[in-house]
Amino acid sequence: MQTYELEKTDVDFITEIPKHWNLNRAKKIFREIDERSEDGSEVLLSVSEYTGVTPKTKKYEDADWVGRAESLEGYKKCKKNDLVSNIMLAWKRGLGVTDHDGIVSPAYCIYRSNHKAHPKFMHYLLRNSLYTTEFKRHSKGIIESRLTLYSERFLPIPLITPPIEEQKAIAEYLEEICSKINVFTK
């Protein structure tokens, strides 16, 4: 295993990182997207603290949907590899990078990354307790159940940004470990 020289950062919640890694504010990696569905015919996605972003398991027309919007028209469109955030639950891992094209609630935020970010690496990084704790600190609200992480408070947060090849290797390693763990949790 290779070891790296560490250096201190000037970020209060990240004390050290490998010297060749960077800290970039989220706004240098992500831009907010607000594209709306014209007819709501796209796949409806759900954001979960447990599974990240996945297709809804029940159809919109099912009887269980009483009280939901009459139409999915105007829901936000997202594409594979977009970061989707339920802004009221980001502090509780209510966000993730999607593997699917689809639509989500108009109350959610969609962020598209640039070439500096490997989607799966960002998925694992931003769902890590280091970041969810920071999201809670930056969220606004009177009580915990109403804390909201608005874009203007998310985008300035510094993100650990290794070189893209290392991000890819870290993500592949984590995918492998998680798939092994999931065998025992099903």
Side-chain angles (χ1 to χ4, degrees), residues 3-176:
T3 58
Y4 297 106
E5 183 180 348
L6 299 178
E7 69 179 356
K8 293 193 181 304
T9 74
D10 58 357
V11 176
D12 60 349
F13 73 102
I14 303 169
T15 55
E16 296 178 318
I17 60 172
K19 202 170 191 170
H20 68 288
W21 288 13
N22 292 310
L23 285 171
N24 288 296
R25 300 213 179 274
K27 65 184 173 186
K28 293 218 177 208
I29 295 173
F30 293 103
R31 71 183 190 286
E32 188 172 4
I33 301 296
D34 189 356
E35 298 170 358
R36 303 297 177 119
S37 174
E38 292 182 19
D39 59 11
S41 62
E42 298 86 352
V43 174
L44 180 61
L45 302 175
S46 174
V47 180
S48 163
E49 67 184 282
Y50 305 107
T51 59
V53 185
T54 55
K56 279 271 192 197
T57 54
K58 294 192 179 285
K59 291 185 178 175
Y60 182 71
E61 294 82 19
D62 287 352
D64 295 16
W65 285 82
V66 175
R68 299 286 182 172
E70 289 182 22
S71 165
L72 300 178
E73 180 181 316
Y75 270 48
K76 288 187 177 178
K77 291 168 61 172
C78 59
K79 295 182 179 178
K80 181 179 178 175
N81 296 329
D82 283 349
L83 173 65
V84 180
S85 175
N86 175 340
I87 63 174
M88 289 185 69
L89 293 174
W91 62 273
K92 200 174 176 191
R93 288 186 181 82
L95 75 165
V97 173
T98 183
D99 290 330
H100 311 277
D101 291 347
I103 55 174
V104 296
S105 166
Y108 293 177
C109 284
I110 313 295
Y111 302 99
R112 194 153 295 150
S113 68
N114 62 24
H115 64 281
K116 294 180 183 177
H118 185 274
K120 278 296 181 188
F121 174 82
M122 285 296 155
H123 176 80
Y124 286 114
L125 180 73
L126 297 176
R127 292 170 57 84
N128 179 290
S129 61
L130 179 72
Y131 277 95
T132 56
T133 300
E134 193 65 8
F135 296 160
K136 188 172 189 177
R137 188 169 75 102
H138 285 273
S139 292
K140 293 188 94 162
I142 297 172
I143 57 174
E144 187 172 75
S145 65
R146 294 292 181 245
L147 291 176
T148 305
L149 183 65
Y150 296 103
S151 291
E152 62 268 13
R153 305 212 25 119
F154 165 70
L155 291 170
I157 295 173
L159 304 181
I160 298 169
T161 318
I164 195 74
E165 286 306 315
E166 283 185 56
Q167 290 181 46
K168 184 178 179 186
I170 291 166
E172 287 171 357
Y173 174 77
L174 291 172
E175 287 283 295
E176 182 182 334

